């Protein structure tokens, strides 16, 4: 990709399949949740990742940080391969678990109800042996709580005693505890009240600037990430179909699926918004257990041709840093 950028993570042909019940002993069935995804994440950027429910955003985020074991492909972190299915390298993941963290979509489900907030935030400090002294550990937990807008008395309470927004702040403190470089923010605000969503987003932006963090910011909706992302990637049925700088993607989407997604986002000017035609997709999103051959979007794409039904389009660059996977674009 762009050579002027400092690449923190390079992902090549990454696949994650889940084996599911129902196959025969001769032929197992797999959910092809992530299929041959390649892209880079630049140091210090926020890369937004959008797409409909079930398109593989969470699976991709979790596979990149090796919370899920990849099925195949290659992941390079800061120049060092941390997964390579061809080379079969053995990597001690412990140092990378410290560098790469995740904030989960549902804060209440991601916090152990039997642990106090202090124990939850302190657990990673213990695993990575970051604060051997008791007082040092206590001070570190208190300063983390302070950084996310909670206070020191909260350390002795349990997750159920907090609101959704506060629970997400606990999740953020836990992720920050080990001083990570890269954080997968998996829809960190979608379970929160609208009134507190912007507070949490602002806090994540401030923390990013202060700690030079790199984010992969997952959202259902482009309107959530368009203002906070440097670039945006669009997924459809396990694949990356378009990737570009945020303003470029929102103002000049070139993949038919992205054009559909954007046609549903209201414009700030209500007159323009009413005048714009909304593109409606026909049919449901196909099952990742048996995805369509060729371009996975062909069953719903208004421009599909015979070639689209048999040949998978590759993600190619059309204009600086603007990538898309569509046969239509190749004709120039
Ligand atoms: N552990 C699992 N076992 C089997 N299938 C799974 C598993 N996790 C996810 N899937 C399937 O993989 C596909 C991608 O799921 P994923 O959760 O990554 O999508 P998503 O884009 O994050 O969706 P959402 O926006 O609803 O969070 C879905 O079809 C899902 O049912
Ligand atoms: S490759 Fe064909 S089916 Fe796929 S998005 Fe392009 S035109 Fe539509
Ligand atoms: Mg998800």
């Amino acid at each position: 990709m762009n050579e002027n950028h400092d690449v923190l993570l390079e992902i090549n042909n990454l696949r994650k399949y889940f084996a599911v019940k129902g196959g025969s002993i001769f032929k197992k069935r797999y959910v092809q949740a992530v299929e041959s995804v390649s892209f880079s994440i630049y140091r210090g950027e926020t890369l937004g990742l959008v797409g409909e429910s079930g398109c593989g955003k969470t699976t991709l985020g979790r596979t990149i940080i090796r919370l899920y074991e990849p099925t195949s492909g290659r992941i390079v972190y800061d120049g060092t391969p941390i997964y390579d299915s061809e080379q079969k390298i053995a990597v001690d993941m412990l140092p990378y678990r410290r560098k790469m963290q995740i904030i989960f979509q549902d804060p209440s489900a991601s916090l152990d109800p039997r642990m106090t907030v202090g124990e939850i935030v302190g657990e990673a400090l213990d695993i990575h042996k970051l604060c051997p002294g008791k007082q040092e550990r206590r001070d570190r937990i208190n300063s983390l709580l302070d950084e996310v807008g909670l206070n020191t008395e909260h350390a002795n309470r349990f997750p159920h005693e907090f609101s959704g927004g506060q629970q997400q702040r606990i999740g953020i403190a836990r992720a920050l505890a080990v001083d990570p470089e890269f954080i997968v923010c998996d829809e960190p605000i979608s379970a929160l009240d609208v009134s507190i969503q912007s507070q949490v987003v602002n806090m994540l932006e401030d923390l990013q600037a202060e700690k030079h963090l790199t984010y992969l910011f997952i959202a259902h909706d482009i309107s959530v990430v368009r203002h906070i992302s440097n670039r945006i990637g669009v997924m459809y049925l396990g694949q990356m179909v378009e990737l570009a700088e945020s303003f470029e993607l929102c103002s000049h989407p070139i993949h038919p699926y992205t054009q559909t997604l954007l046609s549903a986002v209201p414009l700030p000017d209500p007159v323009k918004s009413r005048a714009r035609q909304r593109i409606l997709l026909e049919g449901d999103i196909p099952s990742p257990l048996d995805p369509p051959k060729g371009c996975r979007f062909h069953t719903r794409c208004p421009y599909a041709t015979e070639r689209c039904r048999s040949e998978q389009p590759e993600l190619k660059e059309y204009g600086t840093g603007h990538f898309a996977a569509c046969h239509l674009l190749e004709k120039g």
Side-chain angles (χ1 to χ4, degrees), residues 121-132:
V121 176
E123 192 179 32
L125 297 174
D126 302 339
I127 293 170
H128 293 276
K129 301 186 177 67
L130 295 180
C131 293

Side-chain angles (χ1 to χ4, degrees), residues 111-164:
L111 303 172
D112 188 331
R114 294 157 303 181
M115 289 167 83
T116 65
V117 170
E119 285 166 347
I120 290 169
V121 176
E123 192 179 32
L125 297 174
D126 302 339
I127 293 170
H128 293 276
K129 301 186 177 67
L130 295 180
C131 293
K134 265 190 182 168
Q135 187 57 45
E136 190 191 354
R137 184 179 184 276
R138 225 179 348 251
D139 291 345
R140 175 84 179 126
I141 292 169
N142 288 343
S143 98
L144 283 160
L145 294 179
D146 183 52
E147 273 183 312
V148 298
L150 297 171
N151 57 53
T152 47
E153 294 95 75
H154 289 148
N156 297 320
R157 300 209 208 145
F158 290 89
H160 72 265
E161 298 175 55
F162 295 88
S163 68

Side-chain angles (χ1 to χ4, degrees), residues 255-256 295 297-298 301 303-305 308 313 325-328:
H255 192 282
C295 173
F297 187 50
H298 87 249
C301 179
Y303 312 108
T305 62
C308 305
C326 174
H327 295 312
L328 212 64

Side-chain angles (χ1 to χ4, degrees), residues 251-264:
S251 51
H252 298 110
I254 55 176
H255 192 282
Y257 178 63
T258 315
Q259 290 168 351
T260 313
L261 282 187
L262 278 160
S263 79

Side-chain angles (χ1 to χ4, degrees), residues 9-10 34 51 57 76 83 111 196 252 265 281 283-284:
L9 266 153
E10 207 181 314
V34 170
K57 305 179 295 295
V76 178
Y83 176 80
L111 303 172
I196 50 167
H252 298 110
V265 176
L281 285 180
D284 291 330

Side-chain angles (χ1 to χ4, degrees), residues 267-304:
L267 297 172
D269 178 343
V271 178
K272 280 190 186 159
S273 206
R274 271 196 300 275
R276 186 183 51 185
Q277 206 179 359
R278 184 162 176 199
I279 310 167
L280 290 174
L281 285 180
E282 285 182 16
D284 291 330
I285 187 163
S287 166
L289 261 175
D290 187 19
K293 299 270 176 307
C295 173
R296 288 189 168 192
F297 187 50
H298 87 249
T299 54
R300 299 169 83 198
C301 179
Y303 312 108

